[in-house]
Amino acid sequence: MEEKGDDKNNIQNDKEILNGILAQIHSFDSKAGILISVIGIVFGLSLTLLGSFKEYKDCLPKLSAFAIVYLLFVMSSLIAIVFSVLVILPRGSKEKKNNVNYYMDLCEMDYCDFKNNSKTFYADESIFFNQIQTNAKICKKKHMFLKLSIMSMIPCGVFVLALIVMAIIF
């Protein structure tokens, strides 16, 4: 049978694991915010290239090539933005519980409910494990969306370079 000290160590270790996962979630959110900013800046700068192609309105092949590349750039930018927003978009709890570690549940609790649920939460390792597992799933989704956002920025960068080259050559 485990002693009281072992229970406290296990809970402390679980808290450190949870804090590590929460730090990773925060890191993904920050990176997604930076990506949205970068995409917005690049998109804004790309609008300046539109003016240089007005003079080619009589040359249909050049204008068509520019329009196709620009539309591909816009689509890849929008895809990257959507995936970045999915990283930072808050999601509601799927479970209807009185979880002391979820802010929406805390809003609905009174003091007695909070005290009772917090004792249960920290005393029952399976409940604490469920919290760790839930946050790990959130972290996994955020990681996937962040990777997809970064991967969709690769064609976005290629299209921006193509637009710059087209502006210089045409």
Side-chain angles (χ1 to χ4, degrees):
M1 181 170 245
E2 290 186 1
E3 295 180 26
K4 277 267 196 220
D6 289 340
D7 285 343
K8 286 185 180 184
N9 285 336
N10 288 340
I11 290 174
Q12 187 60 35
N13 291 339
D14 292 347
K15 285 181 183 179
E16 288 177 24
I17 291 168
L18 181 60
N19 286 335
I21 293 169
L22 293 174
Q24 189 64 48
I25 289 171
H26 178 72
S27 173
F28 291 149
D29 289 345
S30 297
K31 289 175 184 176
I34 291 169
L35 284 176
I36 290 172
S37 298
V38 167
I39 294 166
I41 290 169
V42 171
F43 191 79
L45 292 174
S46 75
L47 292 175
T48 62
L49 294 173
L50 288 175
S52 66
F53 284 92
K54 285 183 183 177
E55 61 192 63
Y56 298 110
K57 62 183 174 187
D58 297 331
C59 183
L60 189 60
K62 289 180 183 178
L63 194 59
S64 296
F66 170 75
I68 290 169
V69 172
Y70 196 78
L71 285 174
L72 290 171
F73 163 71
V74 168
M75 288 185 342
S76 64
S77 296
L78 290 175
I79 291 168
I81 288 172
V82 166
F83 284 130
S84 292
V85 167
L86 285 173
V87 172
I88 58 178
L89 186 69
R91 291 161 187 86
S93 175
K94 293 179 182 176
E95 302 167 0
K96 297 293 180 197
K97 293 185 187 179
N98 288 330
N99 187 346
V100 295
N101 208 25
Y102 183 56
Y103 67 96
M104 294 294 263
D105 290 346
L106 280 171
C107 291
E108 305 299 321
M109 287 185 201
D110 61 21
Y111 181 75
C112 290
D113 287 339
F114 171 75
K115 282 299 183 186
N116 291 334
N117 288 318
S118 65
K119 286 178 187 175
T120 305
F121 181 77
Y122 288 109
D124 187 350
E125 286 187 30
S126 68
I127 294 173
F128 203 67
F129 171 75
N130 289 338
Q131 185 65 37
I132 292 170
Q133 191 174 42
T134 299
N135 280 285
K137 288 176 184 177
I138 292 168
C139 192
K140 182 179 177 181
K141 281 184 185 178
K142 287 179 178 277
H143 180 253
M144 179 190 66
F145 288 136
L146 186 63
K147 275 180 33 179
L148 291 171
S149 179
I150 291 169
M151 289 171 44
S152 62
M153 282 193 63
I154 294 170
C156 182
V158 170
F159 296 136
V160 165
L161 290 176
L163 288 170
I164 291 169
V165 168
M166 289 172 75
I168 293 170
I169 291 176
F170 288 160

